[in-house]
Amino acid sequence: MPYAIVFYLDDRTSEPIRQAIRELAEKNIAPYMYTRSIPPHVTLAIYEDMDCGTCEKKIAELASQTATISLDFSFLGFFHTEIPVIFLGPTPTRRLISIHQQVHELLAENGTQPWELYQPGKWVPHCSLAVDFPPENADQAAAMCRQISLPLSIQVASLGVIQFEPVQPLYHYAILEE
């Protein structure tokens, strides 16, 4: 089962994202994120398998050393894959790219078969709004997601790990507050 290392977003400031995900589900356009209770997040890495015991200690330590970070979501994007993905993209700052690189370096010995699209140099930072939905719903999903007023500044609340499928949050640690 794959494991995702994620930045969980602050509940209060990510409410517009939660609302869009809820509406996509209520209208049965793209219910995946809502029905699986996946909170707004930005995925930093995905591994096919991982030594979670050692990884958890490293994630906890990294979170305790990472000062509060605010992500400025400035655009709506679309991954044109067999099963489409609609997302909000944060402006990729040096700090965000640096933390992403740090996660990969930190977990190099703990994770196996990293997913290529999440590797440094290939990663497109994003917060998924609509995933695993029929391609014929793409226009409706995009129209609903365009209602989110951008730019949107959201604080990162914690760093954690999710195992999937089925989706199961394993642990998360609060980011150091300044």
Side-chain angles (χ1 to χ4, degrees), residues 67-161:
T68 301
I69 183 171
S70 180
L71 301 177
D72 293 320
F73 290 87
S74 55
F75 64 96
L76 182 67
F78 190 95
F79 290 130
H80 188 7
T81 52
E82 185 177 328
I83 298 174
V85 175
I86 299 175
F87 63 89
L88 284 183
T91 302
T93 63
R94 285 186 182 160
R95 183 160 180 236
L96 179 59
I97 299 301
S98 174
I99 294 169
H100 174 257
Q101 177 75 36
Q102 194 175 1
V103 165
H104 282 270
E105 290 170 3
L106 189 68
L107 300 178
E109 296 176 8
N110 303 102
T112 60
Q113 300 175 323
W115 287 19
E116 189 68 22
L117 293 176
Y118 290 87
Q119 290 292 303
K122 297 187 178 194
W123 178 60
V124 176
H126 64 281
C127 176
S128 297
L129 301 170
V131 300
D132 200 15
F133 62 95
E136 59 269 15
N137 291 358
D139 288 341
Q140 280 183 292
M144 288 186 69
C145 293
R146 279 194 301 267
Q147 295 175 21
I148 298 172
S149 181
L150 299 177
L152 189 60
S153 184
I154 300 176
Q155 296 289 325
V156 170
S158 61
L159 180 63
V161 174

Side-chain angles (χ1 to χ4, degrees), residues 3-76:
Y3 296 84
I5 292 75
V6 302
F7 266 152
Y8 285 110
L9 304 179
D10 171 72
D11 285 342
R12 186 183 57 78
T13 55
S14 67
E15 183 53 33
I17 293 171
R18 291 175 185 284
Q19 181 179 344
I21 290 170
R22 188 170 40 252
E23 288 178 17
L24 287 163
E26 288 170 353
K27 295 185 178 177
N28 204 30
I29 295 170
Y32 182 90
M33 297 290 290
Y34 187 76
T35 58
R36 286 170 179 72
S37 301
I38 302 171
H41 66 277
V42 172
T43 301
L44 300 166
I46 298 179
Y47 298 95
E48 279 301 318
D49 197 17
M50 195 163 53
D51 174 0
C52 289
T54 305
C55 172
E56 183 173 6
K57 293 173 188 166
K58 290 180 178 182
I59 292 292
E61 185 175 334
L62 179 60
S64 73
Q65 297 170 355
T66 302
T68 301
I69 183 171
S70 180
L71 301 177
D72 293 320
F73 290 87
S74 55
F75 64 96
L76 182 67

